[in-house]
Amino acid sequence: MIPVRGYEGRRVGVLGLGRSGLAAARALAAGGAVPVCWDDGEAARKAAEAEGFEIADLTKDRACEGMDALITSPGIPHLYPAPHPAIVTAQAHGAVIDNDIGLFFRSFATEDWESFDRPPRVVCVTGSNGKSTTTALIDHLLRTAGHDVQMGGNIGRGVLDLEPARDGMIVVLELSSYQIELSRALSPDVAVFLNLSPDHLDRHGGMGGYFAAKRRLFAEGGPERSIIGVDEVEGRFLAAQLREEAENGDPVIRISSGQKLQGAGWSVFARKGFLAEWRKGRQVASIDLRAMPALPGAHNHQNACAAYAVCRSLGLAPRAIEAGMASYPGLPHRCQIVGDVDGVRYVNDSKATNADAAEQALKAFERIRWIAGGRAKEGGIASLLPLMDRVEKTYLIGEAAEAFAAQLGDHPHIIAGTLAEALAAAHADAQPSETVLLAPACASFDQFPSFEARGEAFEALVAGLKT
């Protein structure tokens, strides 16, 4: 646990008592603050009360009197589409609004660092798609090379549940736009911007607000090194802006999947299955990504470029990075190969909860039996229709099945209804060398409590095919 600094003896509200909220309450108490907790769910309130925390309805004026700050969980709206009533009340009483990320950055560095031979470093990864894979890959590469590493944020442990800094430690954090937007303190040493596609627009008031939230990590965080994906206009704008603002060194490493990057700066890009690092107009290293089974497809090649650039920034040699990539096992539910039955490959990409993520999965394979559907997001799968030449047949499930069927038109498809029925039909149709791909392009909440539960159900069904 990282004790929170700066609130000794002061009342601090904690809104939302899930993983990050409870960790924040514990860390505040460890630092001498007096946490006052609230959650809209009774079960969460009882769990916090059982740990000895004060429970008070923070939507009421009385509970917010004399409160210095309100720490809110990332899933709770603070601005759009409307702020939570507790946030409105806290602001009316003069409390500042922050989150666990802000508390982490104000508390991680301590006086003990003066005795360290090597200062700890913090790497932050953000983007619409690929954050978790990139974060986990960086963690794996650094561990494989012998570094002392912790991983947390939007993956693994909550940031305040991490261990205090040690000499030479590297902390790798996955950060969502929700977490970045509200954090009052941001000071990464290395920051990564992967990509941007429409998502969470109701929380950010549109694409401009969404990009502005991501941009805070760089514009206000001031990292020593920024690694920027430049395959979209927002990334190109951000990379150019950060280069112009820097006075010396190589503050920006541009990354891309699918194009060779020009110019004399530092760049890492992947083309035709090969990763290349260029500096000062010449190539300095290359890795064959086709030999990395846990990193299939162009989207994973972008993730590999980002992780490579981070590790090079932290002093790893190209060959050490290549060896780490070869042993990377991949993350569950993200283009994860979960079986091979009679020459048919089965791939779990349950994390593909929107069309952009599903697009990357479809581009990673050919001769696909595609399982799609669930609770649809705006636009459905219209943007994926140009990729149907890669798909032999589509098997539709969940609430979106009929709407997706209408969008597919004459493309071969069936409405299977459930995941079990879809897999059974795909298995019966599949021929050797084909891929049965779960990439739903939908949220899971119509039939499953989470994308993880959906992916686990798929894996269990595939395991049954083997017996």
Side-chain angles (χ1 to χ4, degrees):
M1 180 192 302
I2 298 171
V4 172
R5 297 153 57 89
Y7 286 112
E8 295 84 353
R10 296 155 71 183
R11 296 179 76 249
V12 178
V14 178
L15 177 63
L17 299 172
R19 179 178 64 104
S20 65
L22 271 178
R26 296 177 190 125
L28 283 161
V34 181
V36 181
C37 301
W38 182 252
D39 192 289
D40 292 338
E42 183 179 358
R45 296 197 299 267
K46 286 184 176 179
E49 190 173 25
E51 292 194 32
F53 292 116
E54 178 185 346
I55 305 297
D57 186 349
L58 296 176
T59 67
K60 307 299 184 184
D61 288 317
R62 187 173 182 179
C64 292
E65 291 176 358
M67 194 169 70
D68 285 90
L70 176 65
I71 310 305
T72 181
S73 294
I76 298 173
H78 63 277
L79 186 59
Y80 301 117
H84 189 281
I87 293 176
V88 175
T89 304
Q91 288 173 325
H93 284 271
V96 300
I97 311 300
D98 203 350
N99 60 13
D100 61 333
I101 304 301
L103 297 182
F104 168 84
F105 278 113
R106 70 181 288 167
S107 305
F108 186 57
T110 67
E111 294 82 358
D112 295 340
W113 286 30
E114 295 180 4
S115 64
F116 292 164
D117 292 329
R118 297 166 300 158
R121 310 276 280 172
V122 178
V123 177
C124 294
V125 179
T126 196
S128 297
N129 296 303
K131 297 187 297 295
S132 295
T133 294
T134 301
T135 303
L137 180 56
I138 294 167
D139 175 81
H140 176 80
L141 296 175
L142 292 170
R143 288 181 188 277
T144 302
H147 287 271
D148 180 8
V149 189
Q150 292 193 89
M151 179 177 70
N154 210 36
I155 183 175
R157 299 161 68 181
V159 291
L160 294 172
D161 198 34
L162 298 172
E163 298 172 21
R166 296 184 292 267
D167 193 336
M169 174 185 281
I170 300 172
V171 174
V172 187
L173 302 179
E174 176 192 339
L175 297 184
S176 70
S177 55
Y178 296 173
Q179 292 168 309
I180 297 168
E181 184 175 46
L182 196 56
S183 176
R184 289 174 61 84
L186 291 165
S187 53
D189 297 288
V190 181
V192 179
F193 175 90
L194 291 168
N195 47 53
L196 197 77
S197 60
D199 208 358
H200 312 305
L201 301 189
D202 60 330
R203 277 288 299 270
H204 297 298
M207 279 294 286
Y210 184 34
F211 177 52
K214 300 281 190 186
R215 183 180 173 275
R216 285 195 74 233
L217 183 62
F218 304 85
E220 298 185 35
E224 295 175 12
R225 171 90 16 85
S226 298
I227 293 153
I228 310 294
V230 294
D231 290 333
E232 291 95 22
V233 63
E234 292 88 356
R236 292 191 290 274
F237 171 84
L238 183 59
Q241 189 175 52
L242 294 171
R243 284 201 310 270
E244 182 176 319
E245 290 177 353
E247 297 180 358
N248 50 52
D250 278 312
V252 175
I253 304 177
R254 296 177 301 148
I255 62 169
S256 173
S257 177
Q259 62 173 315
K260 179 179 179 179
L261 298 178
Q262 307 292 328
W266 196 348
S267 62
V268 179
F269 56 86
R271 292 180 70 225
K272 300 180 180 179
F274 286 86
L275 178 153
E277 177 188 1
W278 282 65
R279 297 188 73 174
K280 299 179 180 179
R282 66 183 184 88
Q283 182 173 313
V284 297
S286 177
I287 293 176
D288 185 354
L289 295 175
R290 299 172 301 175
M292 311 302 173
L295 295 168
H299 65 303
N300 274 315
H301 292 177
Q302 185 195 46
N303 300 335
C305 288
Y308 178 97
V310 168
C311 292
R312 290 290 281 145
S313 297
L314 296 173
L316 269 65
R319 296 286 75 85
I321 299 172
E322 182 175 14
M325 285 184 179
S327 65
Y328 175 61
L331 273 180
H333 318 300
R334 295 162 175 85
C335 266
Q336 179 189 20
I337 299 172
V338 296
D340 191 307
V341 182
D342 299 327
V344 178
R345 178 169 46 187
Y346 292 80
V347 177
N348 170 17
D349 196 23
S350 182
K351 183 63 171 65
T353 57
N354 58 45
D356 288 310
E359 176 181 351
Q360 301 307 321
L362 290 170
K363 287 180 177 178
F365 304 99
E366 296 179 348
R367 300 189 63 196
I368 298 167
R369 303 278 171 179
W370 180 30
I371 300 175
R375 181 162 294 170
K377 296 189 176 180
E378 185 176 353
I381 55 172
S383 63
L384 304 180
L385 298 182
L387 297 174
M388 290 304 103
D389 59 342
R390 312 174 75 89
V391 178
E392 302 293 326
K393 189 174 181 178
T394 301
Y395 306 80
L396 298 169
I397 65 174
E399 291 178 2
E402 292 188 5
F404 282 11
Q407 289 183 303
L408 288 169
D410 294 334
H411 170 74
H413 66 271
I414 64 168
I415 295 178
T418 68
L419 180 58
E421 292 168 330
L423 181 61
H427 174 64
D429 293 342
Q431 302 296 314
S433 78
E434 292 183 347
T435 296
V436 176
L437 171 66
L438 172 66
C442 283
S444 63
F445 304 123
D446 57 337
Q447 295 180 334
F448 298 94
S450 64
F451 75 83
E452 293 95 341
R454 178 171 59 191
E456 289 164 4
F458 179 75
E459 291 182 34
L461 291 165
V462 171
L465 299 176
K466 301 176 185 178
T467 59

